[in-house]
Amino acid sequence: MHQYLAAPLPDNQTVSRPFHPCPGSGQPLLMVRAGAPTEAALEHAGNLLDAAYHVARQGADGEAGLMVHALWAVMHLVECANAVIESTIGGPCANDETA
């Protein structure tokens, strides 16, 4: 279970949240930018999770070869949604190695 490092957020805006380590360097390749309204960020996270659900559903109903691609897509969508959510609560998970 993740433990979140909650901190007060200024003006209900996201904080910067790097994620997705770049192969070879370990440095984060992507980042949620600071300053977005939290309501908009959470709506976007919901859209990412909805897309992940539908990709997983289609992958489960498809051929075995398509399932591998669907799983990778779901993994990346969920990772993005998680980073967006963490940016709205003030920081990364306490046990997240990419933070």
Side-chain angles (χ1 to χ4, degrees):
M1 189 78 170
H2 290 287
Q3 294 179 341
Y4 293 95
L5 303 175
L9 296 180
D11 303 322
N12 291 322
Q13 295 181 345
T14 59
V15 296
S16 177
R17 172 62 170 101
F19 68 102
H20 194 75
C22 186
S25 75
Q27 295 295 315
L29 180 63
L30 304 172
M31 178 183 301
V32 176
R33 296 180 57 104
T38 56
E39 186 175 340
L42 289 171
E43 182 178 343
H44 187 70
N47 291 339
L48 289 166
L49 291 171
D50 187 55
Y53 169 80
H54 289 289
V55 168
R57 179 84 186 225
Q58 287 179 343
D61 293 339
E63 299 174 25
L66 294 177
M67 186 59 182
V68 171
H69 297 292
L71 288 172
W72 277 105
V74 168
M75 180 186 74
H76 291 298
L77 287 165
V78 170
E79 181 183 21
C80 290
N82 187 56
V84 171
I85 291 168
E86 288 175 350
S87 78
T88 67
I89 62 169
C93 294
N95 60 349
D96 187 347
E97 67 277 356
T98 64

